[in-house]
Amino acid sequence: MALIQGIPGEFEPQPWGEAILRSRELLLLRIARRPPDREIRLPGLATNPLHVVEDHTGKALTWRHDGDDLVVRLPDSAEPPVVRVALQGKLRIVPPDTVTANADGVCDLTPAGTTAHLAARRTAEVAIRFFGPMDPEAQQHIRLAGRTYGVTGHQLLRSTIGPYRMPARRVLPLLVPTGVRRMLVAPVGTVLASLHPRGAELTVLVTNFGRARARGDVVLPLPAGWSATDQQWTFDELAPGRSIGWTTRITGRSGSHELQVRLDAGRRSASSPYSIQL
């Protein structure tokens, strides 16, 4: 992915040492363990470096961007060096849990904490569908991209929330409501198929992120040697913001396999792949 605009923050400990912010525009990379190839990687540096030098000698070091990572080649010296990175602006990072939308503009994520981080490849209006055991009476405030919606847990479980206007290539934090186990984010207008496994049972869910009712056909392709009680469905009059689902029982060889629904619901049909463990 091309370099994106990050958010203010700090770096976690790295395999080679630690990154310390000395001022708003200066990083010190303290090397505790020199890699065999003499290259260190600082993941998620969104601010462009001005120059990268060895701290005590001022010697310029070779560096490059690899996506959102800064890769520096260390000098050939006996002692572990300290690397000084002068930045072109305030430090901004891309958190390691950042999920970037796929080619259809869809993010499918399982939050690991109380905040998720999203990035869109293109500017778009999006909505969010939440899944998880939430208190239906609890009041929630869902904030993304500077816009907040106050909703109940009941609304979160039944319909999409939005729209939010997400700018291109910018990391945005999203506070995760208590109990949420999965979130789908899609551009407004999309009809999205997603997979939700539970043991040998698999729910195929279609969510209408559009503003008009939707209809279409759903097929669940399976790898050779797999079978399911049902593999195709038809839906009609799916209201905006709502979902419809079917549960099928699948059997097949053990292991992890990526499945993806084939959805025909018009021009904005999309499908989110999911890794299934049997």
Side-chain angles (χ1 to χ4, degrees), residues 18-49:
E18 59 180 344
I20 301 171
L21 183 63
R22 287 295 298 271
S23 69
R24 292 186 303 176
E25 300 176 5
L26 177 62
L27 273 174
L28 291 183
L29 311 184
R30 297 189 183 276
I31 312 303
R33 292 166 292 279
R34 184 194 298 268
D37 61 1
R38 292 169 45 203
E39 282 197 344
I40 62 168
R41 179 179 295 267
L42 182 63
L45 177 62
T47 309
N48 286 323

Coordinates of all heavy atoms in Angstrom, one line a residue, residues 18-49:
E18 N 14.3 0.1 20.2 CA 13.2 1.0 20.4 C 13.3 2.3 19.7 O 14.5 2.8 19.4 CB 13.1 1.3 21.9 CG 14.3 2.0 22.6 CD 14.1 2.2 24.0 OE1 12.9 2.2 24.5 OE2 15.1 2.5 24.7
A19 N 12.2 2.9 19.3 CA 12.2 4.2 18.7 C 11.6 5.2 19.7 O 10.6 5.0 20.3 CB 11.2 4.2 17.5
I20 N 12.4 6.3 20.0 CA 12.1 7.3 21.0 C 11.9 8.6 20.3 O 12.7 9.1 19.5 CB 13.3 7.4 22.0 CG1 13.5 6.0 22.7 CG2 12.9 8.4 23.1 CD1 14.7 6.0 23.5
L21 N 10.8 9.3 20.6 CA 10.5 10.6 20.1 C 11.2 11.6 21.0 O 10.8 11.8 22.2 CB 9.0 10.8 20.1 CG 8.5 12.2 19.5 CD1 8.9 12.3 18.0 CD2 7.0 12.3 19.6
R22 N 12.2 12.3 20.5 CA 12.9 13.3 21.3 C 12.3 14.7 21.2 O 12.4 15.5 22.1 CB 14.4 13.4 20.8 CG 15.2 12.2 21.2 CD 15.4 12.1 22.7 NE 16.1 13.3 23.2 CZ 17.4 13.4 23.3 NH1 18.2 12.4 23.0 NH2 18.0 14.5 23.8
S23 N 11.7 15.0 20.1 CA 10.9 16.2 19.9 C 9.8 15.9 18.9 O 9.7 14.8 18.4 CB 11.8 17.4 19.4 OG 12.2 17.2 18.1
R24 N 9.0 16.9 18.5 CA 7.9 16.6 17.6 C 8.4 16.1 16.3 O 7.7 15.4 15.5 CB 7.0 17.9 17.4 CG 6.3 18.3 18.7 CD 5.3 19.4 18.4 NE 6.0 20.6 17.8 CZ 5.4 21.7 17.4 NH1 4.1 21.8 17.5 NH2 6.1 22.7 16.9
E25 N 9.6 16.5 15.9 CA 10.1 16.2 14.6 C 11.5 15.4 14.6 O 12.2 15.5 13.6 CB 10.2 17.5 13.7 CG 8.9 18.2 13.6 CD 9.0 19.5 12.8 OE1 10.1 19.8 12.4 OE2 7.9 20.2 12.7
L26 N 11.8 14.8 15.7 CA 13.0 14.0 15.8 C 12.8 12.7 16.5 O 12.3 12.6 17.6 CB 14.1 14.9 16.5 CG 15.4 14.2 16.8 CD1 16.1 13.9 15.4 CD2 16.3 15.0 17.7
L27 N 13.3 11.6 15.8 CA 13.2 10.3 16.3 C 14.7 9.8 16.6 O 15.6 10.0 15.7 CB 12.6 9.3 15.4 CG 11.0 9.2 15.4 CD1 10.6 8.3 14.2 CD2 10.6 8.6 16.7
L28 N 14.9 9.1 17.7 CA 16.1 8.3 17.9 C 15.8 6.8 17.9 O 14.9 6.4 18.6 CB 16.7 8.7 19.2 CG 17.3 10.1 19.3 CD1 17.9 10.3 20.7 CD2 18.3 10.4 18.2
L29 N 16.5 6.1 17.1 CA 16.4 4.6 17.0 C 17.5 4.0 17.8 O 18.7 4.1 17.3 CB 16.3 4.2 15.6 CG 15.4 4.9 14.6 CD1 15.4 4.3 13.2 CD2 14.0 5.0 15.1
R30 N 17.2 3.5 18.9 CA 18.3 2.9 19.8 C 18.4 1.4 19.4 O 17.4 0.6 19.6 CB 18.0 3.0 21.2 CG 18.0 4.5 21.7 CD 17.9 4.6 23.2 NE 17.8 6.0 23.6 CZ 18.8 6.8 23.8 NH1 20.1 6.4 23.5 NH2 18.7 8.1 24.2
I31 N 19.5 1.0 18.9 CA 19.7 -0.4 18.4 C 20.3 -1.3 19.5 O 21.4 -1.0 20.0 CB 20.6 -0.4 17.2 CG1 20.2 0.7 16.1 CG2 20.6 -1.8 16.5 CD1 18.8 0.6 15.6
A32 N 19.5 -2.2 19.9 CA 20.0 -3.2 21.0 C 20.4 -4.5 20.3 O 21.3 -5.2 20.9 CB 18.8 -3.4 22.0
R33 N 19.8 -4.9 19.2 CA 20.1 -6.1 18.5 C 20.3 -5.9 17.0 O 19.3 -5.5 16.4 CB 19.0 -7.2 18.8 CG 18.9 -7.6 20.2 CD 17.7 -8.4 20.5 NE 16.5 -7.5 20.4 CZ 16.1 -6.7 21.4 NH1 16.8 -6.6 22.5 NH2 15.1 -5.9 21.3
R34 N 21.5 -6.0 16.6 CA 21.8 -5.7 15.1 C 21.4 -6.9 14.3 O 21.9 -8.0 14.5 CB 23.3 -5.4 15.0 CG 23.6 -5.0 13.5 CD 25.2 -5.1 13.4 NE 25.8 -4.2 14.3 CZ 26.2 -2.9 14.0 NH1 25.9 -2.5 12.7 NH2 26.8 -2.2 14.8
P35 N 20.5 -6.7 13.3 CA 20.1 -7.9 12.4 C 21.3 -8.3 11.6 O 22.2 -7.5 11.3 CB 19.0 -7.2 11.5 CG 18.5 -6.0 12.3 CD 19.7 -5.5 13.0
P36 N 21.3 -9.6 11.2 CA 22.4 -10.1 10.4 C 22.6 -9.3 9.1 O 23.8 -9.2 8.6 CB 22.0 -11.6 10.2 CG 21.1 -11.9 11.3 CD 20.4 -10.6 11.6
D37 N 21.5 -8.9 8.5 CA 21.7 -8.2 7.2 C 21.9 -6.7 7.4 O 21.9 -5.9 6.4 CB 20.5 -8.4 6.3 CG 19.2 -7.9 6.9 OD1 19.2 -7.4 8.1 OD2 18.1 -8.0 6.3
R38 N 22.0 -6.2 8.7 CA 22.2 -4.8 9.0 C 21.1 -3.9 8.6 O 21.3 -2.7 8.7 CB 23.5 -4.3 8.4 CG 24.8 -5.0 9.0 CD 26.0 -4.6 8.2 NE 26.1 -3.2 7.8 CZ 26.8 -2.8 6.8 NH1 27.5 -3.6 6.0 NH2 26.8 -1.5 6.5
E39 N 19.9 -4.4 8.3 CA 18.8 -3.5 8.0 C 17.7 -3.6 9.1 O 17.4 -4.7 9.5 CB 18.1 -4.0 6.7 CG 18.9 -3.5 5.5 CD 18.1 -3.5 4.2 OE1 17.0 -4.2 4.2 OE2 18.5 -2.9 3.2
I40 N 17.3 -2.5 9.6 CA 16.2 -2.4 10.6 C 15.0 -1.8 9.9 O 15.1 -1.0 9.0 CB 16.6 -1.6 11.8 CG1 16.9 -0.1 11.4 CG2 17.8 -2.2 12.5 CD1 17.0 0.8 12.6
R41 N 13.8 -2.2 10.4 CA 12.5 -1.8 9.8 C 11.7 -1.2 10.9 O 11.4 -1.8 12.0 CB 11.8 -3.0 9.2 CG 10.4 -2.7 8.6 CD 9.8 -3.9 8.0 NE 10.6 -4.4 6.9 CZ 10.4 -4.1 5.6 NH1 9.4 -3.3 5.3 NH2 11.1 -4.6 4.7
L42 N 11.3 0.1 10.7 CA 10.4 0.8 11.6 C 9.0 0.8 11.0 O 8.8 1.6 10.0 CB 10.9 2.2 11.9 CG 10.0 3.0 12.9 CD1 10.0 2.3 14.3 CD2 10.6 4.4 13.0
P43 N 8.1 0.0 11.4 CA 6.8 -0.1 10.7 C 5.9 1.1 11.0 O 5.8 1.6 12.2 CB 6.2 -1.4 11.3 CG 6.8 -1.6 12.6 CD 8.2 -1.0 12.5
G44 N 5.2 1.5 10.0 CA 4.1 2.5 10.2 C 4.5 4.0 10.4 O 3.9 4.7 11.1
L45 N 5.7 4.4 9.8 CA 6.1 5.8 9.9 C 5.4 6.5 8.8 O 5.8 6.4 7.6 CB 7.6 5.9 9.9 CG 8.2 7.3 9.9 CD1 7.8 8.0 11.1 CD2 9.7 7.3 9.6
A46 N 4.5 7.4 9.1 CA 3.7 8.1 8.0 C 4.4 9.4 7.7 O 4.1 10.0 6.6 CB 2.3 8.3 8.5
T47 N 5.2 10.0 8.6 CA 5.9 11.2 8.3 C 7.2 11.0 7.5 O 8.0 10.1 7.9 CB 6.2 12.0 9.6 OG1 5.1 12.0 10.4 CG2 6.7 13.4 9.3
N48 N 7.4 11.7 6.4 CA 8.6 11.5 5.6 C 9.8 12.0 6.4 O 9.8 13.1 7.0 CB 8.5 12.3 4.3 CG 7.5 11.6 3.3 OD1 7.4 10.4 3.3 ND2 6.8 12.4 2.6
P49 N 10.9 11.2 6.3 CA 12.2 11.7 6.9 C 12.8 12.8 6.1 O 12.7 12.8 4.9 CB 13.0 10.4 6.9 CG 12.1 9.3 6.7 CD 11.0 9.8 5.9

